[in-house]
Every structure is written in structure tokens, then in C-alpha cells.
Amino acid sequence: MNVVPRDLMTEIPVSSADFRGAMRHLTGGVSVITAGRGKDITGMTVTSVTSLSVEPPTLLVSINRDASSFPLIRRYGAFGVNILNADQLDVAERFAGKAGLKGADRFAGARWVTGVSGVPLLADALSAFDCEVEEILERHSHGIVIGRVRDVRNSTRSAALAYWHGQYVAVDQDEDAARLAEVSVPSRGRRGI
């Protein structure tokens, strides 16, 4: 593979609109990040959660430094990651600011428990992670927050909420597998394949 030296490449700026349009093709799982303690709490809807390490269990989340959650994550050194199930569209929209709710008001209408670090965790999430901040790397408009997982709560539900092409979609393992089976290629054991 030939690599062109950076000084020989012509830099063509990528517009924000083009970048956002391209990123809409990437399907993302929907999570709510929670931060703070007691009445000093807030949260936000994100699709930017990823596993960083299994040993030790560590997550990475990218958060806009202007978001209300960012200073609380810095102050308390902890955050929650709540992976939403397909029935929690209302929670996703509330924490995305659709109704204009802010801070503790976003938590109304859902059941919350307090994690070991003191952060609120969604009781009915597919999975909820209680994380201690290991490091925050600030780049451009965002902070890349690395969190050591201190506790995990899993549910038995299987349908997840995802975000694709600017809208929320349900991903259900059982229903989607059945739909794929209806249109899939016959198995190799059948004649003619």
C-alpha cells in the first residue's frame, strides 16, 4: 500500500452538513448518559458509547463540552450509561431535550435507582453501567470520557432502541431474525445450493 505523505496531500475541508449526512448512515445504539448526585443531576441521549476494554471493564463516551452533563461528570468523577430498550423512545426524546426539559426534570416518568457511585441508573434499561471517570481527553468540541465500569445491571429484554437516518428504530432480535428467515437464502443443506 502506498501512503501519500501529508505535506503532498491537498487538504479539502469537509463541511459540517456533509459530515452529518455521512454519519447518518451509521446506525447507533441509543443510550442515556446520567451524571450528578441527589438533586444536582442531568443527562443526555447519545449514540457515542463504545467498549474500550474488557480487562478491566471500561467504556468510552464522547460528550460535547457545552452539554450540561459534562461539568457534572467532571465534578463528581462518575457517570451512568443506560442502554435503552425499544420501548423507551419517550426517555430518549426527553433526554435529547425534545420537550425543553432540563436537569432533574428529564428524569420524570421513568424508574431510577442509585448506582454505587451515586449516579442515577434507569431501572428498566437493557443494561445500565455505573462508571468511574478514569480520564477525560478534550478534543475539538468534545470530551472523550473513559470510564471504569464499577457495576452492571442487565435486564432480560432483547429489543433495543437504535438511531439511523435521523430517526429512532427498534431492533428486536426475535422479530428481526424471523423477518430475515422469511427472505433469506435457503440453507446449504437444501438441494440446488
Side-chain angles (χ1 to χ4, degrees), residues 85-86 126 155-161 171-175:
N85 70 58
L126 281 178
S155 97
T156 57
R157 304 186 75 178
S158 64
L161 189 62
V171 178
D172 186 303
Q173 183 177 0
D174 296 332
E175 286 182 22

Side-chain angles (χ1 to χ4, degrees), residues 40-54:
D40 187 24
I41 56 174
T42 192
M44 60 190 292
T45 301
V46 303
T47 57
S48 62
V49 175
T50 190
S51 166
L52 178 62
S53 170
V54 173

Side-chain angles (χ1 to χ4, degrees), residues 27-191:
T27 304
V30 180
S31 298
V32 166
I33 302 301
T34 51
R37 293 193 177 112
K39 293 184 181 188
D40 187 24
I41 56 174
T42 192
M44 60 190 292
T45 301
V46 303
T47 57
S48 62
V49 175
T50 190
S51 166
L52 178 62
S53 170
V54 173
E55 290 294 332
T58 311
L59 293 176
L60 183 144
V61 62
S62 178
I63 299 177
N64 190 311
R65 291 186 290 158
D66 290 334
S68 61
S69 299
F70 194 71
L72 292 183
I73 290 171
R74 276 193 171 289
R75 182 179 312 138
Y76 293 106
F79 62 97
V81 175
N82 303 276
I83 300 174
L84 300 186
N85 70 58
D87 297 335
Q88 294 174 319
L89 175 61
D90 60 326
V91 175
E93 289 186 333
R94 237 185 355 266
F95 280 86
K98 295 282 185 187
L101 298 173
K102 297 187 182 296
D105 293 337
R106 290 183 173 180
F107 291 81
R111 286 188 321 114
W112 299 89
V113 296
T114 302
V116 294
S117 70
V119 298
L121 298 174
L122 185 58
D124 299 326
L126 281 178
S127 292
F129 302 87
D130 192 331
C131 300
E132 175 185 334
V133 174
E134 276 192 351
E135 187 174 0
I136 299 175
L137 306 168
E138 295 188 27
R139 295 292 185 272
H140 310 293
S141 60
H142 282 61
I144 302 163
V145 183
I146 299 170
R148 173 83 59 98
V149 177
R150 295 298 182 193
D151 190 29
V152 177
R153 296 166 180 259
N154 289 310
S155 97
T156 57
R157 304 186 75 178
S158 64
L161 189 62
Y163 195 73
W164 182 62
H165 274 272
Q167 60 188 340
Y168 294 103
V169 294
V171 178
D172 186 303
Q173 183 177 0
D174 296 332
E175 286 182 22
D176 291 337
R179 274 190 239 139
L180 287 172
E182 290 174 7
V183 297
S184 70
V185 177
S187 69
R188 295 185 186 274
R190 293 190 182 168
R191 180 176 279 212

